[in-house]
Every structure is written in C-alpha cells, then in structure tokens.
Amino acid sequence: KGVTAPVQVYRMLEASAAQSRLDLAGPSGFTPLVGRESEVLLLLERWAHSQDGRGQVVLLSGEPGIGKSRLVEVLREHVRSQGATRLVFRCSPYHQQSALFPVIEHLQRVLHWDSLDAPEAKLAALEQALRTSRLPLEEVTPLLAALLSLPHPAQYPLLNLPPQRQRQKTHDALVAWLLAEAERQT
C-alpha cells in the first residue's frame, strides 16, 4: 500500500495591491543604500528641474542586481515626502507585444476593476472617471473602451476612423486624461 502525503490547502483572501517586490518590502524593509550618492544626487537634481517646469527623462540601465530599482525607490520616497502626485507604469516581459500595456494596467487599477466585473460595470466605471475629468464623453469613451477591450458603448457613435487616426486620437485622449487628473490633484 502506498503512503499518501498530507495535502495543504491555501485560500487566497484578496489580491495584493503590490506591483513589485519593492512594494512588498516597504520603505522600512530596505537596507541602506551605500556608495550610490552621485546617482541619487542626479535623480534628485532631475526631480528639481522637473518641478521648475523643465521636463526630464532619466534612463537607468545595467545588469540585474546592481540596484536600479532601489535607486528608483529612493526617488519615489523623496517625491512622496513632498506630497507630489506620482504615477507608476510598469512594463512586463509577458506583454511585449502591447506597447500600451503599462497604461492599460494603470487605468484598470485607477478604475478599481475586478477581473470578475461585467463589461457593463467596467464601462460605467470608465464613464464615471471620465466625467470627473470633464473630457468630452462622446469622443473619449469609445476610444478608451476600445483600448480597454470593452464592447463599443451603444449610446455613443461608432468610431469610423482609420487605424492610425484612431491610435493618435487614443493617445491624445490618454494624455488629456492624465493632465486633467494631475490638475485635479494639485
């Protein structure tokens, strides 16, 4: 007769809001950052320039494990301590074919979508969020519904745009929404 191993049953209580391993650690769970003063200073200088209205882009690249994510976390903590609004977009190796995946994921988080929500409920949440931004619902809702893989909302006219034009209008709508949200939070 064979021996059976005990079976362990795990139950997931809820999905975590953590988006990365650094979110799980929290600020108090980090080891001190040593020997990276010049990189931290550069990031803080770029942050100061951006506050002065001079747009900044910083590319951190290098081998795995050298502390790129840890440097970003130092900047995030600094920004958070100043009360600034910050948006975090994360790429995924599993979604390399979707250039807008980080934006789509961000919108789904902002809209508090649950994977079990019906498309109608998701569309209602999208419309409500767009109403607070004062964007033209008739134009923007169908564009973002298409981006978010929702069925076309019946109360809006169909999009009869060439693919390139629809893509451009979708990008414009996303930028307008993000700017409206940033203005609303300042």
Side-chain angles (χ1 to χ4, degrees), residues 33-47 58-61 66-68 70-72 74-75:
L33 193 59
V34 178
R36 303 304 289 271
E37 293 81 11
S38 63
E39 290 94 339
V40 170
L41 182 60
L42 175 69
L43 291 173
L44 296 178
E45 285 174 357
R46 296 301 182 257
W47 168 246
V58 176
L59 172 65
L60 293 175
S61 65
I66 64 169
K68 299 178 300 292
R70 185 66 177 87
L71 283 168
V72 170
V74 168
L75 178 62

Side-chain angles (χ1 to χ4, degrees), residues 130-150:
L130 289 172
R131 274 188 198 95
T132 62
S133 67
R134 295 187 177 92
L135 294 174
L137 290 178
E138 190 170 288
E139 181 181 333
V140 175
T141 305
L143 291 167
L144 296 184
L147 175 69
L148 296 167
S149 300
L150 293 174

Side-chain angles (χ1 to χ4, degrees), residues 46-158:
R46 296 301 182 257
W47 168 246
H49 291 318
S50 72
Q51 288 182 298
D52 293 340
R54 297 180 280 165
Q56 300 292 302
V57 174
V58 176
L59 172 65
L60 293 175
S61 65
E63 297 297 318
I66 64 169
K68 299 178 300 292
S69 297
R70 185 66 177 87
L71 283 168
V72 170
E73 189 58 33
V74 168
L75 178 62
R76 285 179 64 192
E77 282 302 311
H78 180 76
V79 169
R80 185 179 300 136
S81 73
Q82 293 186 345
T85 301
R86 31 181 227 299
L87 301 174
V88 178
F89 296 87
R90 296 190 189 280
C91 296
S92 165
Y94 303 110
H95 297 92
Q96 292 181 8
Q97 302 305 315
S98 174
L100 291 178
F101 170 77
V103 175
I104 293 167
E105 183 184 52
H106 172 76
L107 293 178
Q108 291 172 345
R109 273 194 321 273
V110 166
L111 297 169
H112 304 289
W113 282 3
D114 184 284
S115 61
L116 301 176
D117 288 344
E120 298 78 22
K122 291 178 178 183
L123 185 59
L126 174 62
E127 285 181 302
Q128 182 59 38
L130 289 172
R131 274 188 198 95
T132 62
S133 67
R134 295 187 177 92
L135 294 174
L137 290 178
E138 190 170 288
E139 181 181 333
V140 175
T141 305
L143 291 167
L144 296 184
L147 175 69
L148 296 167
S149 300
L150 293 174
H152 183 83
Q155 66 270 36
Y156 299 106
L158 288 174

